[in-house]
Amino acid sequence: MVPILILIVIALAVFFLLNKKKVVNETPAATLNYKSLLDRYIPYYQHLNVAQKLLFEQKVAGFLAGITIEGVGTTVNDEDKIMIAASAVIPIFGFGDWRYRNLTNVILYPDTFDSEFQFEGENRSILGMVGSGYMNGQMILSRAALTKGFSNSAGKENTAIHEFVHLLDKSDGATDGVPENLLAHEYILPWLKMIHEEIHKIEAGRSDINPYAITNEAEFLAVVSEYFFQKPNELKHKHPELYDMLSSMFSQDLADSDIV
Protein backbone atom coordinates (compact mmCIF):
# COMPACT_ATOMS: atom_id res chain seq x y z
CA MET A 1 0.00 0.00 0.00
CA VAL A 2 2.77 2.45 0.89
CA PRO A 3 4.50 2.35 -2.54
CA ILE A 4 1.13 3.02 -4.22
CA LEU A 5 0.55 6.04 -1.98
CA ILE A 6 4.01 7.34 -2.81
CA LEU A 7 3.32 7.04 -6.55
CA ILE A 8 0.03 8.90 -6.12
CA VAL A 9 1.78 11.71 -4.22
CA ILE A 10 4.47 11.99 -6.91
CA ALA A 11 1.89 12.08 -9.71
CA LEU A 12 -0.10 14.78 -7.92
CA ALA A 13 3.07 16.82 -7.34
CA VAL A 14 3.98 16.71 -11.03
CA PHE A 15 0.41 17.58 -12.02
CA PHE A 16 0.49 20.58 -9.67
CA LEU A 17 3.85 21.71 -11.08
CA LEU A 18 2.59 21.58 -14.65
CA ASN A 19 -0.58 23.47 -13.79
CA LYS A 20 0.42 25.98 -11.15
CA LYS A 21 1.65 28.55 -13.68
CA LYS A 22 -0.42 27.44 -16.62
CA VAL A 23 -1.66 30.21 -18.88
CA VAL A 24 -4.71 29.53 -21.03
CA ASN A 25 -4.56 30.32 -24.75
CA GLU A 26 -6.40 33.54 -25.44
CA THR A 27 -6.75 33.40 -29.21
CA PRO A 28 -9.05 30.67 -30.62
CA ALA A 29 -7.37 28.72 -33.42
CA ALA A 30 -10.19 29.62 -35.82
CA THR A 31 -9.31 33.33 -35.61
CA LEU A 32 -5.63 32.97 -36.52
CA ASN A 33 -4.39 34.52 -39.75
CA TYR A 34 -2.58 31.37 -40.86
CA LYS A 35 -1.26 32.61 -44.18
CA SER A 36 0.24 35.81 -42.81
CA LEU A 37 1.92 34.09 -39.87
CA LEU A 38 3.22 31.18 -41.96
CA ASP A 39 4.58 33.58 -44.56
CA ARG A 40 6.41 35.49 -41.87
CA TYR A 41 7.82 32.71 -39.70
CA ILE A 42 8.03 29.40 -41.58
CA PRO A 43 10.68 29.13 -44.34
CA TYR A 44 9.41 25.68 -45.37
CA TYR A 45 5.99 27.16 -46.15
CA GLN A 46 7.45 30.15 -47.96
CA HIS A 47 8.87 27.91 -50.71
CA LEU A 48 5.69 25.95 -51.40
CA ASN A 49 3.54 26.61 -54.47
CA VAL A 50 0.04 28.04 -54.17
CA ALA A 51 -1.76 24.68 -53.97
CA GLN A 52 0.76 23.30 -51.47
CA LYS A 53 0.44 26.41 -49.29
CA LEU A 54 -3.32 25.97 -49.14
CA LEU A 55 -2.91 22.32 -48.13
CA PHE A 56 -0.33 23.27 -45.51
CA GLU A 57 -2.70 25.87 -44.06
CA GLN A 58 -5.46 23.26 -43.88
CA LYS A 59 -3.21 20.81 -42.06
CA VAL A 60 -2.10 23.51 -39.62
CA ALA A 61 -5.73 24.39 -38.93
CA GLY A 62 -6.57 20.73 -38.41
CA PHE A 63 -3.70 20.28 -35.96
CA LEU A 64 -4.62 23.34 -33.92
CA ALA A 65 -8.26 22.31 -33.83
CA GLY A 66 -7.40 18.95 -32.26
CA ILE A 67 -4.45 19.72 -29.96
CA THR A 68 -4.38 21.93 -26.88
CA ILE A 69 -1.38 24.26 -26.54
CA GLU A 70 -0.76 25.63 -23.05
CA GLY A 71 1.89 27.82 -21.50
CA VAL A 72 3.55 27.16 -18.16
CA GLY A 73 5.26 30.27 -16.84
CA THR A 74 4.56 32.06 -20.10
CA THR A 75 1.70 33.20 -22.31
CA VAL A 76 1.23 31.33 -25.58
CA ASN A 77 1.01 33.77 -28.48
CA ASP A 78 -0.08 33.32 -32.10
CA GLU A 79 3.51 32.96 -33.31
CA ASP A 80 4.08 30.10 -30.86
CA LYS A 81 0.97 28.29 -32.11
CA ILE A 82 1.97 28.65 -35.75
CA MET A 83 5.52 27.42 -35.12
CA ILE A 84 4.31 24.42 -33.10
CA ALA A 85 1.67 23.52 -35.69
CA ALA A 86 4.13 23.94 -38.56
CA SER A 87 6.62 21.71 -36.74
CA ALA A 88 3.93 19.06 -36.57
CA VAL A 89 2.85 19.41 -40.21
CA ILE A 90 6.28 19.54 -41.86
CA PRO A 91 7.21 15.88 -41.18
CA ILE A 92 3.78 14.59 -42.26
CA PHE A 93 3.16 16.93 -45.19
CA GLY A 94 3.84 14.17 -47.69
CA PHE A 95 1.23 11.89 -46.14
CA GLY A 96 -2.45 11.86 -46.97
CA ASP A 97 -4.45 12.22 -43.77
CA TRP A 98 -2.09 11.75 -40.85
CA ARG A 99 -3.17 12.49 -37.29
CA TYR A 100 -0.96 12.49 -34.21
CA ARG A 101 -3.14 10.07 -32.29
CA ASN A 102 -0.48 9.79 -29.56
CA LEU A 103 -0.65 13.51 -28.69
CA THR A 104 -3.31 15.48 -26.82
CA ASN A 105 -1.54 18.64 -25.75
CA VAL A 106 1.68 20.63 -26.06
CA ILE A 107 3.04 22.44 -23.01
CA LEU A 108 5.25 25.45 -23.73
CA TYR A 109 7.92 26.48 -21.22
CA PRO A 110 9.76 29.81 -21.50
CA ASP A 111 13.19 28.16 -21.69
CA THR A 112 15.08 24.96 -20.97
CA PHE A 113 13.94 22.67 -18.17
CA ASP A 114 15.27 19.75 -16.15
CA SER A 115 14.18 16.15 -15.60
CA GLU A 116 11.87 17.30 -12.79
CA PHE A 117 10.09 19.65 -15.23
CA GLN A 118 11.56 22.71 -13.50
CA PHE A 119 12.30 25.69 -15.76
CA GLU A 120 14.01 27.75 -13.07
CA GLY A 121 17.29 27.14 -11.26
CA GLU A 122 20.40 25.24 -12.33
CA ASN A 123 20.97 22.04 -14.32
CA ARG A 124 18.37 22.88 -16.95
CA SER A 125 19.39 21.44 -20.32
CA ILE A 126 16.27 19.87 -21.86
CA LEU A 127 14.91 21.68 -24.93
CA GLY A 128 11.94 19.41 -25.59
CA MET A 129 10.52 16.00 -24.75
CA VAL A 130 7.71 13.63 -25.59
CA GLY A 131 6.03 12.34 -22.45
CA SER A 132 5.67 8.71 -21.47
CA GLY A 133 3.96 6.90 -18.61
CA TYR A 134 1.67 9.29 -16.75
CA MET A 135 2.91 12.03 -19.16
CA ASN A 136 1.85 10.02 -22.20
CA GLY A 137 0.14 12.15 -24.84
CA GLN A 138 1.96 15.32 -23.82
CA MET A 139 4.86 17.17 -25.38
CA ILE A 140 6.91 19.81 -23.59
CA LEU A 141 8.81 22.41 -25.59
CA SER A 142 11.10 25.30 -24.73
CA ARG A 143 9.93 28.51 -26.41
CA ALA A 144 13.56 29.60 -26.81
CA ALA A 145 14.33 26.40 -28.73
CA LEU A 146 11.07 26.57 -30.69
CA THR A 147 11.79 30.10 -31.88
CA LYS A 148 15.44 29.40 -32.69
CA GLY A 149 14.42 26.47 -34.90
CA PHE A 150 12.73 28.86 -37.32
CA SER A 151 15.31 31.65 -37.10
CA ASN A 152 18.10 32.47 -39.53
CA SER A 153 20.60 31.04 -37.03
CA ALA A 154 18.90 27.66 -36.76
CA GLY A 155 21.32 25.78 -38.99
CA LYS A 156 20.53 22.04 -39.08
CA GLU A 157 18.62 22.08 -35.78
CA ASN A 158 14.91 22.37 -35.07
CA THR A 159 13.87 21.06 -31.66
CA ALA A 160 10.13 21.01 -32.32
CA ILE A 161 10.49 19.02 -35.55
CA HIS A 162 12.82 16.68 -33.62
CA GLU A 163 10.09 15.98 -31.05
CA PHE A 164 7.35 15.46 -33.64
CA VAL A 165 9.57 12.95 -35.43
CA HIS A 166 9.80 11.10 -32.10
CA LEU A 167 5.99 10.95 -32.13
CA LEU A 168 6.01 9.54 -35.66
CA ASP A 169 8.58 6.97 -34.57
CA LYS A 170 6.44 6.13 -31.54
CA SER A 171 3.28 5.64 -33.62
CA ASP A 172 4.12 1.98 -34.30
CA GLY A 173 4.31 1.31 -30.57
CA ALA A 174 8.06 1.77 -30.00
CA THR A 175 10.33 4.81 -30.07
CA ASP A 176 13.28 2.93 -31.53
CA GLY A 177 14.44 4.86 -34.60
CA VAL A 178 12.68 2.42 -36.93
CA PRO A 179 9.33 3.99 -37.93
CA GLU A 180 7.63 0.90 -39.29
CA ASN A 181 4.60 2.95 -40.34
CA LEU A 182 6.87 4.94 -42.68
CA LEU A 183 9.43 2.37 -43.73
CA ALA A 184 8.78 -0.67 -45.91
CA HIS A 185 9.82 -3.91 -44.22
CA GLU A 186 12.59 -4.65 -46.72
CA TYR A 187 14.29 -1.35 -45.86
CA ILE A 188 14.45 -1.88 -42.10
CA LEU A 189 17.77 -3.75 -42.03
CA PRO A 190 19.45 -1.41 -44.57
CA TRP A 191 18.25 1.55 -42.49
CA LEU A 192 19.69 0.09 -39.27
CA LYS A 193 22.97 -0.62 -41.08
CA MET A 194 23.04 2.96 -42.33
CA ILE A 195 22.43 4.27 -38.81
CA HIS A 196 25.28 2.31 -37.28
CA GLU A 197 27.71 3.14 -40.06
CA GLU A 198 27.00 6.85 -39.67
CA ILE A 199 27.24 6.65 -35.89
CA HIS A 200 30.75 5.24 -36.27
CA LYS A 201 31.65 8.18 -38.54
CA ILE A 202 30.27 10.67 -36.00
CA GLU A 203 32.27 9.02 -33.22
CA ALA A 204 35.40 9.22 -35.37
CA GLY A 205 34.81 12.90 -36.13
CA ARG A 206 34.15 12.23 -39.82
CA SER A 207 30.57 13.45 -39.99
CA ASP A 208 28.87 16.85 -39.73
CA ILE A 209 25.77 15.32 -38.12
CA ASN A 210 25.03 16.54 -34.59
CA PRO A 211 26.84 14.17 -32.16
CA TYR A 212 23.63 13.86 -30.13
CA ALA A 213 22.61 11.39 -32.84
CA ILE A 214 24.89 8.73 -31.36
CA THR A 215 22.73 8.54 -28.20
CA ASN A 216 20.60 5.76 -29.71
CA GLU A 217 18.72 4.88 -32.90
CA ALA A 218 15.66 6.96 -31.92
CA GLU A 219 17.75 10.09 -31.41
CA PHE A 220 19.63 9.40 -34.63
CA LEU A 221 16.36 9.40 -36.58
CA ALA A 222 15.17 12.62 -34.93
CA VAL A 223 18.49 14.42 -35.42
CA VAL A 224 18.96 13.52 -39.08
CA SER A 225 15.30 14.37 -39.71
CA GLU A 226 16.00 17.88 -38.42
CA TYR A 227 18.89 18.06 -40.91
CA PHE A 228 16.65 16.75 -43.70
CA PHE A 229 13.98 19.39 -43.19
CA GLN A 230 16.29 22.27 -42.32
CA LYS A 231 19.08 21.77 -44.89
CA PRO A 232 17.89 19.22 -47.47
CA ASN A 233 20.27 20.29 -50.25
CA GLU A 234 23.25 20.08 -47.91
CA LEU A 235 22.17 16.68 -46.60
CA LYS A 236 21.73 15.32 -50.12
CA HIS A 237 25.17 16.60 -51.14
CA LYS A 238 27.01 15.25 -48.07
CA HIS A 239 24.92 12.17 -47.28
CA PRO A 240 23.09 11.09 -50.46
CA GLU A 241 22.08 7.61 -49.25
CA LEU A 242 20.81 8.97 -45.96
CA TYR A 243 18.90 11.67 -47.81
CA ASP A 244 17.29 9.14 -50.14
CA MET A 245 16.15 6.96 -47.23
CA LEU A 246 14.62 9.93 -45.38
CA SER A 247 13.03 11.19 -48.58
CA SER A 248 11.34 7.82 -48.94
CA MET A 249 10.24 7.75 -45.30
CA PHE A 250 8.66 11.19 -45.38
CA SER A 251 7.49 11.04 -49.02
CA GLN A 252 9.20 14.38 -49.67
CA ASP A 253 12.04 15.21 -52.07
CA LEU A 254 12.95 18.63 -50.69
CA ALA A 255 16.35 18.97 -52.34
CA ASP A 256 14.61 19.15 -55.72
CA SER A 257 12.59 22.16 -54.53
CA ASP A 258 13.66 25.69 -53.70
CA ILE A 259 13.86 24.94 -49.97
CA VAL A 260 17.38 25.53 -48.64
Side-chain angles (χ1 to χ4, degrees), residues 190-199 220 241-242 245:
W191 169 239
L192 287 171
K193 183 173 183 288
M194 193 177 297
I195 289 176
H196 295 143
E197 287 177 349
E198 195 62 40
I199 284 176
F220 183 93
E241 292 184 355
L242 187 55
M245 188 68 81

Side-chain angles (χ1 to χ4, degrees), residues 116-130:
E116 301 296 325
F117 310 110
Q118 297 282 348
F119 54 88
E120 297 173 344
E122 301 178 353
N123 302 317
R124 296 178 294 109
S125 61
I126 303 175
L127 302 176
M129 67 172 290
V130 172

Side-chain angles (χ1 to χ4, degrees), residues 44-120:
Y44 179 102
Y45 171 87
Q46 294 164 4
H47 293 91
L48 299 176
N49 62 37
V50 174
Q52 290 171 331
K53 284 184 176 181
L54 179 59
L55 178 60
F56 196 94
E57 293 162 24
Q58 293 170 345
K59 287 181 178 289
V60 162
F63 176 84
L64 290 173
I67 303 296
T68 301
I69 301 175
E70 300 168 307
V72 174
T74 188
T75 301
V76 177
N77 59 41
D78 293 350
E79 291 82 0
D80 298 326
K81 296 174 192 172
I82 284 297
M83 289 183 189
I84 290 170
S87 303
V89 171
I90 287 170
I92 56 93
F93 191 60
F95 308 153
D97 186 27
W98 183 275
R99 292 288 184 272
Y100 288 97
R101 304 188 189 283
N102 49 2
L103 181 69
T104 57
N105 64 305
V106 176
I107 301 169
L108 189 67
Y109 279 10
D111 209 330
T112 53
F113 52 98
D114 62 23
S115 58
E116 301 296 325
F117 310 110
Q118 297 282 348
F119 54 88
E120 297 173 344

Side-chain angles (χ1 to χ4, degrees), residues 3 31 35 40 48 71 103 111 136 159 169 176 184 224-225 245 259:
T31 67
K35 183 171 178 58
R40 182 173 181 182
L48 299 176
L103 181 69
D111 209 330
N136 195 47
T159 295
D169 185 12
D176 56 5
V224 297
S225 295
M245 188 68 81
I259 298 175

